[in-house]
Structure formats: structure tokens, C-alpha cells
Amino acid sequence: MSSPGQAPVERPRPRVVLVGPPGAGKTTIAALLAAHWGVTARDTDADIEELEGRSVSDIFIEAGEAHFRVAEAAAVASALAEHDGVLALGGGAVLDPNTRALLADHTVVFLKVGLSDSVKRVGLGTTRPLLLGNVRSRVKALLDERAPLYESVATLSVETDGREPADIVEEIIEALS
């Protein structure tokens, strides 16, 4: 807060926030965009793993999805308030209404991926707890459930199917310039 007569204190804000389903390339694209702009990349799943001292998969197995979602909402809120580089959110972060509200005044890029490319990219999903079992059907269910939420927070949507990361980054840079 500022006192009367003082300029308001500028809070850091991410240059761009990336959202999308598993396999969309959020972490890869975040690193490339950050390198291009000379800023840092941050991934909220990595933040949670560091805070919890265990992998996202282990958190799901040992503490449950509800515990993970609470930690995720807190990690996203913290990153949005502190980080001034490129921010990649976990695929399910948009499920939280408070997170969606926080994203409203940020530049958000939805990395769209189709079923076939997503399944190829995530493989058997061994490190992705929500994809254990029939990977293809789980990915389809996640895409169907979350696509409207990703669209609702997105400033820009970018197709990633069959494209190289550098081409995706170029499109984002051009669109946001």
C-alpha cells in the first residue's frame, strides 16, 4: 500500500501465464519464452513438489487429490503475486474458481492439444496420477471437462498439434507484441 501522495507500489506480475491439459507443452514453451524475453520460467507443479518434498504423483497417492488441489491453488496464487517471468500452471489449476478469478487480469495463453497428440506426449502417464489406467480415455475426459475452463481464462489460444515448440513460441511472441 502507498501513503497519500506516494505512487502505488508496483507488484510483480507474470509476463504471461500458460494453461492447458497434460501434454500441451506448458513447461517446454515456458522455458523457451522465458529465454527469449530474458526472464525466468516458473512451473507451479515444481513449486508444489519443492514445498511438499515429493512428486505430484506421490502427493496424489499419499495425500489425495483434494490435498493436492489445495496446495495447487495456494501455489498459483503465490506465483501470480510474486513472479514476473513466464508462469506455467498445472493442467488442473483452472478447476479452482478462485484461480480462474485470479487469472482474469493476466495475459493467459491456452496451449491447445488434441487427443492424439496429448496421448503421444504423455505416454503411459506414469508420472501423471490422473492418467493412470486407460490413458486415452482419461485424456479425452480431461480434455472434454477442462477445455471450456481453459478457454474462459485465455487471452490467446494456440494450437500445438503437430507443431515444433519454436513455432508455437514464435506465434505467441508475435501475438503478444
Side-chain angles (χ1 to χ4, degrees), residues 86-143:
V86 179
L87 181 61
L89 303 189
V94 297
L95 296 172
D96 182 76
N98 293 326
T99 294
R100 292 194 305 274
L102 289 174
L103 290 171
D105 66 344
H106 289 275
T107 300
V108 179
V109 175
F110 168 26
L111 298 178
K112 297 172 90 169
V113 63
L115 179 60
S116 180
D117 276 29
S118 180
V119 170
K120 283 183 216 165
R121 293 175 191 173
V122 299
L124 296 177
T126 55
T127 61
R128 300 173 191 264
L130 289 180
L131 300 183
L132 294 176
N134 183 335
V135 174
R136 190 171 180 81
S137 68
R138 291 296 302 137
V139 169
K140 182 177 182 342
L142 288 178
L143 291 174

Side-chain angles (χ1 to χ4, degrees), residues 16 18 28-39 86 169-170 172-173:
V16 67
L18 303 177
T28 299
I29 300 301
L32 292 170
L33 283 170
H36 174 81
W37 285 322
V39 297
V86 179
V169 167
E170 187 177 313
I172 293 167
I173 292 166

Side-chain angles (χ1 to χ4, degrees), residues 6-96:
Q6 286 185 319
V9 175
E10 288 290 320
R11 293 181 55 188
R13 349 176 2 94
R15 178 125 185 212
V16 67
V17 180
L18 303 177
V19 299
K26 297 178 298 290
T27 303
T28 299
I29 300 301
L32 292 170
L33 283 170
H36 174 81
W37 285 322
V39 297
T40 58
R42 184 168 172 178
D43 186 308
T44 57
D45 280 352
D47 290 353
I48 296 164
E49 288 179 341
E50 185 176 326
L51 184 65
E52 294 264 341
R54 54 190 169 166
S55 70
V56 168
S57 183
D58 285 346
I59 296 167
F60 267 78
I61 292 165
E62 296 166 8
E65 183 177 0
H67 172 85
F68 175 79
R69 295 296 175 206
V70 169
E72 181 176 53
V76 170
S78 177
L80 288 171
E82 301 167 0
H83 187 62
D84 62 357
V86 179
L87 181 61
L89 303 189
V94 297
L95 296 172
D96 182 76

